Amino acid sequence: MAISLDDIGVRNKIDQASGGHNYLKHYESLFAGLDIRRLAIVLGTRPVATANTFAEFLPDATVTAISYAPVDDLARLRSNVRMYPAGNMDRMHRALAIASPYDVLIEDSPNRKSQKREIFRLFFPAVRNGGLYIAEDLHASHIPSLLDDDKEDLWQLVSRLLTLKASGGKTPANATEDDLNLAQAIGRVEFDGKFLALERRGETLIKLRHSEANSLLQDRYGDTWGSVLSRLRSTKVTSDALVTANKLDVAQRKYPNPISVPDLDVREYHDVVAVPRQILLKDSTLLPDSFRLALLGRLGNSALRPLNHYFSWSPESTAEPERLNGQYYYLDLEMNRHFGHFMTEAIPRLYAWDNAKEQNPALKVLMSSPTPEGNLLPYQLEILTAYGISQGDIQTFLSPVHVDSLIAATPLFHNMKYVHPMLRETYERLGRELRLDTGPTGERIFVSRRPGMWRECLNMPELEAVFIEHGFKVVYPEELTLRQQATMYANAKVAAGYIGSGLYGTMFSKTPMDIIGFVNTSYLATNEYFIATALDHRMHVFWCEDIKGNRDVDAAGRPLGGTNHDYEFDFERDGETLKRLLAGL
């Protein structure tokens, strides 16, 4: 007769056994319908004895044990146990990510109210679709010494989520997007007063950061995941770009200086799936190259439904990925139609192409197509061609593809975070190849925008009149070819205009220039500042007060909330400063 889970627990003297809380008999019943290959348990006491109990009962499963208590007797651990210290939530995420998703995850933490609530919030998605999350010791919510905050306890949270799930779309005002997603992930529930078992519903993906990718992929897959082909070591860059700022406090808050550049790796991945709009998967792992803003506190990709800090929902596409044999170079974009995103997110990843192409002449660029016909946009082809990538060396895709070998370069540029000095070489190379012998001329240009777009300067005519008086020519880059734009910026000594993609052409200049920019104060992007830093341009920035409530969307239907409000240049405050600046250039 097979020994029961409770018998093992009694022998190991753990409090989940019948001599204590008597959970194990219930667990064995719950486990009966599951093929358990991966079990995780978060432990507060007796970590070795508790982990060994489950490992003995499930000899064919891997048991991931995360302990808040010190572990002094590791030699006693059974061979199918992997033990990790709990630390903070990031360390717990790191430990769970090695074998996620789990068939069963048991929370047996030290029972502080905040711990139980946050472990569930953050790591319920680490359980596979159809698996179980078990929380023990719910009665701890009545022990005063464990009530470490005044927020809801775990049972109150779950009860609220179940009510939300049953609301039929009538969302309470206090429900967050994370609440809605967590409620959607709950299936069957079993509650006996002291423990809670929740079935997990839906396919999820675990997010991976660049800083943790190499070690975690090695722990998860061994050498089969791929390798780091090269690395640019972290560095600090001092920028002399910002010369004039009407709001010094805003400049100091938005424009980092010195600029901290992290390690930038070029990786080769094996057997990965690329989904359109910069979604890159290794099984249930979202690789770091899926995130255009990969250093933000919370990773996200607008092509994916977010779930929480560490997880996203899996893409809804059910198409079987097409197999692409051979090796590819990853340049896909989340915003794959947008000129500005291509300029600031694809171009900074070109730097490893030459070496990779030399190593493998059959290498091709891999990008999802922004058109239903499977083509790139003309300006995208023109930039890639200028860099030396022929149309025959570009593979586009419209649905998921399974790639044997994929090279992905961590970008040299990250909006709001860093620019690497090496990007100068890429800018100069593209400028040389794109410039025409003859084309638009003018040492002073004002890069304007058509009315109705977001972040509109509402006194645009008055502002541009000042520049016209000082010898500036008003231009609209969208009326020019890319080569004409590159030539225009090469011939200009001063480029003024509204902060945004229209000024990104300053990357094509031949020599350092002056850039004068106007933007609403809430706008967060730092693209022009980083381009100026890479090329030794001199920046003069006038931040203008946001005007809210005058309209909800722009002419293209884009919402003006957040950081995209309209604004007006304040002539009373900054008019004389601007005129002195123009007179001195």
Side-chain angles (χ1 to χ4, degrees):
M1 180 177 175
I3 190 169
S4 72
L5 178 60
D6 186 60
D7 289 339
I8 301 170
V10 169
R11 187 213 314 142
N12 289 342
K13 299 179 181 177
I14 65 173
D15 65 359
Q16 292 100 323
S18 53
H21 296 303
N22 197 27
Y23 298 147
L24 298 184
K25 290 180 180 179
H26 295 283
Y27 294 172
E28 189 163 355
S29 176
L30 290 169
F31 292 173
L34 296 173
D35 179 18
I36 301 176
R37 299 291 175 178
R38 295 176 178 178
L39 180 143
I41 183 165
V42 180
L43 296 160
T45 59
R46 309 222 48 228
V48 172
T50 305
N52 279 346
T53 296
F54 289 96
E56 182 178 348
F57 182 70
L58 299 166
D60 296 326
T62 297
V63 174
T64 298
I66 301 173
S67 178
Y68 279 94
V71 181
D72 298 324
D73 46 354
L74 286 172
R76 291 182 48 234
L77 282 175
R78 297 181 69 88
S79 61
N80 56 333
V81 176
R82 304 290 180 267
M83 181 73 72
Y84 304 94
N88 58 24
M89 294 299 171
D90 282 342
R91 290 186 67 177
M92 194 176 298
H93 157 71
R94 171 67 174 75
L96 287 170
I98 295 172
S100 177
Y102 295 91
D103 302 298
V104 176
L105 193 158
I106 301 172
E107 181 266 301
D108 178 32
S109 70
N111 288 330
R112 291 199 303 274
K113 183 170 72 167
S114 63
Q115 277 178 335
K116 299 184 78 65
R117 182 185 63 242
E118 293 310 304
I119 290 171
F120 170 73
R121 269 194 173 281
L122 293 173
F123 302 117
F124 181 45
V127 178
R128 67 165 172 83
N129 183 27
L132 287 177
Y133 182 99
I134 299 172
E136 297 184 354
D137 302 340
L138 297 191
H139 59 284
S141 62
H142 301 290
I143 301 173
S145 63
L146 298 175
L147 306 183
D148 59 339
D149 66 23
D150 58 1
K151 298 179 182 179
E152 61 193 345
D153 62 38
L154 176 58
W155 175 242
Q156 290 168 334
L157 169 61
V158 171
S159 299
R160 183 169 62 82
L161 294 175
L162 292 173
T163 301
L164 185 61
K165 187 179 178 73
S167 66
K170 298 177 181 178
T171 306
N174 64 341
T176 65
E177 186 177 11
D178 281 3
D179 288 339
L180 295 169
N181 280 298
L182 205 55
Q184 186 179 343
I186 298 174
R188 176 173 52 89
V189 178
E190 182 171 330
F191 176 54
D192 83 337
K194 291 178 68 176
F195 84 88
L196 176 68
L198 300 102
E199 180 189 27
R200 249 273 292 119
R201 293 275 179 86
E203 301 292 344
T204 59
L205 302 168
I206 192 164
K207 305 174 193 177
L208 195 58
R209 294 184 179 274
H210 282 291
S211 59
E212 63 190 355
N214 301 335
S215 60
L216 201 151
L217 289 169
Q218 189 69 30
D219 287 345
R220 187 172 170 93
Y221 299 104
D223 293 336
T224 64
W225 75 270
S227 62
V228 176
L229 300 179
S230 63
R231 171 174 294 167
L232 293 172
R233 291 290 182 184
S234 62
T235 187
K236 284 194 179 294
V237 177
T238 300
S239 175
D240 296 319
L242 188 63
V243 176
T244 306
N246 69 329
K247 295 185 177 184
L248 188 59
D249 60 327
V250 176
Q252 292 172 338
R253 187 169 70 249
K254 293 180 184 289
Y255 290 173
N257 196 18
I259 299 164
S260 297
V261 185
D263 287 346
L264 304 178
D265 288 344
V266 178
R267 301 183 185 91
E268 179 186 12
Y269 298 114
H270 296 157
D271 291 316
V272 293
V273 172
V275 180
R277 295 185 56 202
Q278 202 177 341
I279 300 170
L280 190 59
L281 308 175
K282 177 75 173 171
D283 299 328
S284 60
T285 302
L286 263 174
L287 295 170
D289 312 270
S290 303
F291 307 108
R292 65 185 184 87
L293 299 176
L295 291 181
L296 293 192
R298 177 161 169 161
L299 300 175
N301 180 318
S302 62
L304 288 167
R305 284 193 302 142
L307 207 169
N308 69 16
H309 187 79
Y310 296 118
F311 294 86
S312 285
W313 291 105
S314 186
E316 295 181 359
S317 172
T318 57
E320 183 68 22
E322 175 191 355
R323 189 87 189 200
L324 291 182
N325 297 317
Q327 190 175 58
Y328 295 84
Y329 189 92
Y330 195 57
L331 281 183
D332 199 19
L333 294 169
E334 175 186 340
M335 311 294 187
N336 61 6
R337 295 188 61 87
H338 195 288
F339 175 80
H341 286 279
F342 187 92
M343 301 292 279
T344 58
E345 294 164 16
I347 287 175
R349 291 149 66 193
L350 289 171
Y351 67 97
W353 165 262
D354 288 342
N355 185 62
K357 184 68 170 174
E358 182 180 351
Q359 297 297 315
N360 180 8
L363 181 71
K364 291 186 176 184
V365 162
L366 183 67
M367 298 182 70
S368 65
S369 170
T371 71
E373 297 76 25
N375 303 317
L376 294 185
L377 299 175
Y379 79 84
Q380 296 173 336
L381 278 174
E382 198 162 11
I383 289 174
L384 295 179
T385 300
Y387 198 77
I389 301 170
S390 69
Q391 190 166 353
D393 281 338
I394 300 170
Q395 173 70 53
T396 62
F397 63 102
L398 290 167
S399 57
V401 290
H402 189 139
V403 185
D404 289 339
S405 172
L406 187 69
I407 294 175
T410 311
L412 297 175
F413 182 115
H414 183 306
N415 189 11
M416 300 178 283
K417 293 297 182 181
Y418 69 80
V419 61
H420 193 284
M422 188 173 158
L423 187 55
R424 181 186 191 115
E425 299 173 19
T426 302
Y427 289 160
E428 291 177 342
R429 175 172 168 176
L430 287 172
R432 286 193 304 270
E433 295 300 322
L434 287 170
R435 289 192 291 267
L436 299 167
D437 293 333
T438 60
T441 60
E443 291 187 352
R444 294 185 167 204
I445 59 174
F446 188 99
V447 182
S448 189
R449 311 174 72 172
R450 297 299 179 189
M453 305 307 289
W454 61 11
R455 300 193 308 277
E456 181 176 344
C457 179
L458 298 181
N459 55 352
M460 185 186 302
E462 295 86 345
L463 179 60
E464 292 179 11
V466 174
F467 281 86
I468 293 170
E469 289 173 6
H470 286 81
F472 282 74
K473 179 182 179 181
V474 176
V475 298
Y476 297 90
E478 65 270 21
E479 296 179 351
L480 305 173
T481 68
L482 188 66
R483 289 184 178 275
Q484 288 173 329
Q485 291 181 46
T487 306
M488 176 182 71
Y489 281 106
N491 291 330
K493 292 185 178 179
V494 186
Y498 309 109
I499 293 288
S501 58
L503 286 173
Y504 296 174
T506 55
M507 68 177 65
F508 300 135
S509 65
K510 285 190 291 189
T511 57
M513 67 193 308
D514 285 280
I515 301 170
I516 307 171
F518 302 88
V519 71
N520 57 308
T521 301
S522 68
Y523 189 57
L524 297 176
T526 58
N527 298 303
E528 293 82 359
Y529 170 66
F530 284 156
I531 293 170
T533 297
L535 292 173
D536 297 326
H537 294 331
R538 298 168 296 276
M539 271 199 85
H540 314 272
V541 183
F542 291 87
W543 278 282
C544 308
E545 303 306 321
D546 290 60
I547 296 176
K548 302 177 182 179
N550 60 315
R551 57 183 181 142
D552 297 324
V553 297
D554 75 354
R558 299 176 297 184
L560 267 68
T563 64
N564 291 308
H565 296 291
D566 296 335
Y567 59 93
E568 286 186 352
F569 177 73
D570 190 334
F571 279 96
E572 183 176 347
R573 183 186 64 197
D574 298 320
E576 289 304 314
T577 301
L578 175 60
K579 289 179 180 178
R580 286 195 300 271
L581 171 63
L582 295 178
L585 293 178

